[in-house]
Amino acid sequence: MADLALQNSGLSSSASVDRSRVLTRFKFGDATFKYVTLGSAVTVLILLGGVIIALFEGAMPAFRAFGIGFLWGQSWNPVTEKFGALAPIYGTIMTSFIAMLIAIPIGIGTAIFLTELCPPWLRRPIGTAIELLAGIPSIIYGIWGLFVFAPFLQSTVQPFLISLFGPIPVLNAVFAGPPYGIGILTAGLILAIMVLPFVASISRDVFETVPAVLKEAAYGLGCTRWEVVRSVIIPYTRVGIIGGVMLGLGRALGETMAVTFVIGNAHRISASILQPGTTISATIANEFTEAVGDVYTSSLVALGLILFVITFFVLAAARLLLLKIEKRTGG
């Protein structure tokens, strides 16, 4: 009996030691995981802070030379070193607005068709085509836009718009001027094609997360397909839809090469969207390698800082909107 008790106590002691080792290993693994993820988050913040500091330091000579008036100055003359950011800011906002105005309804409509109306045999080809649009390099869009799309707009669409809106006050100024082919409208349309896959793909993915029981209950109550989409699918997935729209807007605001090819790169502001213009990204891409002098280089860096601030406020507004929606729905 004594030997058996001694043996049992030895087994208990061995089990306790093994359990202690396992717990120690788990604690070490959890601590390692915690600090690795913390380090990743801190690294992102450090990189972001470094970018912000570099932009501020690079932009200071321009703001010291022109003051806050740099934001609404329209002159851009490297010879006299007179620079203003209003024309690139205007072009960036207008092209992004045109792109989102076109891409949001088409993208969401495409996602609704794929998830609710599309025959199964057609769903995969259309989904693959959308994904291919997202994978095409921006410079390919730019080359296609310059040599194919812009001439098409110049010979057909723009003359039609000029004749259609010519007699209408206000709109005749928006669609005025000779049909150059390149310009704000062309850049906005190219951006819409580039942004469309992001909106459509993300909307399709979030639509597929809607529980089937919710849609079946709505159909059981006698709702039409449109009523189900409007009253069930869209409200259930609106947070995801807004996320996809914000992702597309971020792409539109920062796009460089495709816009550079088709916007005309003219530092002027015109009421007509058919006229050439420029954006912040296009200006930086076109002129940074040729910038001579501290003020010229600093003005381009200041444009980059302005684009960073615009993007920040857009994302902040989107986040506030999402928080408001979650609060309203009790999330």
Side-chain angles (χ1 to χ4, degrees):
M1 291 294 292
D3 293 339
L4 182 59
L6 183 62
Q7 185 178 2
N8 289 336
S9 65
L11 291 173
S12 300
S13 177
S14 176
S16 299
V17 171
D18 291 340
R19 189 180 301 110
S20 176
R21 290 176 179 175
V22 171
L23 292 175
T24 301
R25 187 168 65 251
F26 285 167
K27 290 181 180 179
F28 178 77
D30 287 344
T32 302
F33 179 74
K34 174 184 176 181
Y35 289 115
V36 168
T37 54
L38 177 62
S40 300
V42 171
T43 300
V44 172
L45 292 177
I46 292 174
L47 292 175
L48 180 61
V51 171
I52 295 173
I53 292 172
L55 287 175
F56 268 104
E57 289 183 351
M60 280 302 102
F63 283 109
R64 280 195 293 264
F66 308 111
I68 196 66
F70 176 78
L71 296 177
W72 51 79
Q74 298 189 37
S75 174
W76 190 271
N77 192 331
V79 177
T80 60
E81 291 193 336
K82 298 294 183 181
F83 302 103
L86 188 59
I89 293 174
Y90 170 80
T92 300
I93 294 174
M94 284 300 300
T95 54
S96 299
F97 175 77
I98 294 171
M100 301 312 297
L101 188 66
I102 297 171
I104 290 175
I106 295 178
I108 295 178
T110 302
I112 293 173
F113 174 76
L114 289 176
T115 55
E116 301 298 322
L117 301 170
C118 184
W121 61 270
L122 189 58
R123 188 171 300 166
R124 183 177 295 274
I126 295 179
T128 303
I130 293 174
E131 294 170 358
L132 285 176
L133 282 176
I136 296 176
S138 60
I139 194 170
I140 302 301
Y141 280 111
I143 294 174
W144 173 77
L146 180 62
F147 292 107
V148 178
F149 194 54
F152 169 75
L153 292 177
Q154 183 182 23
S155 60
T156 58
V157 177
Q158 291 187 354
F160 170 75
L161 293 175
I162 294 171
S163 62
L164 177 65
F165 295 108
I168 303 175
V170 180
L171 291 180
N172 58 2
V174 176
F175 297 94
Y180 291 113
I182 58 175
I184 298 288
L185 177 62
T186 307
L189 293 174
I190 293 292
L191 283 178
I193 298 173
M194 299 178 68
V195 166
L196 176 62
F198 295 92
V199 179
S201 297
I202 294 177
S203 299
R204 180 193 60 185
D205 291 341
V206 297
F207 288 164
E208 291 176 347
T209 65
V210 178
V213 65
L214 295 180
K215 295 186 286 187
E216 292 170 358
Y219 286 126
L221 292 174
C223 294
T224 63
R225 194 181 298 274
W226 161 243
E227 289 173 336
V228 171
V229 171
R230 183 189 62 187
S231 304
V232 177
I233 296 177
I234 298 295
Y236 188 88
T237 59
R238 54 190 170 189
V239 173
I241 294 173
I242 293 174
V245 169
M246 289 303 107
L247 180 63
L249 180 57
R251 173 73 186 271
L253 288 171
E255 177 55 40
T256 304
M257 294 309 301
V259 174
T260 303
F261 274 86
V262 299
I263 198 170
N265 301 303
H267 283 272
R268 64 171 180 263
I269 297 175
S270 174
S272 174
I273 61 175
L274 304 183
Q275 301 304 304
T278 189
T279 64
I280 293 175
S281 300
T283 300
I284 296 173
N286 280 323
E287 303 187 24
F288 205 86
T289 56
E290 302 174 359
V292 178
D294 294 338
V295 176
Y296 193 1
T297 303
S298 178
S299 298
L300 294 175
V301 177
L303 289 180
L305 177 62
I306 293 170
L307 180 60
F308 180 89
V309 173
I310 292 174
T311 305
F312 172 80
F313 277 108
V314 167
L315 296 179
R319 185 59 183 168
L320 290 175
L321 179 60
L322 293 176
L323 290 176
K324 185 177 180 179
I325 292 174
E326 291 176 359
K327 184 178 180 180
R328 183 185 305 168
T329 57

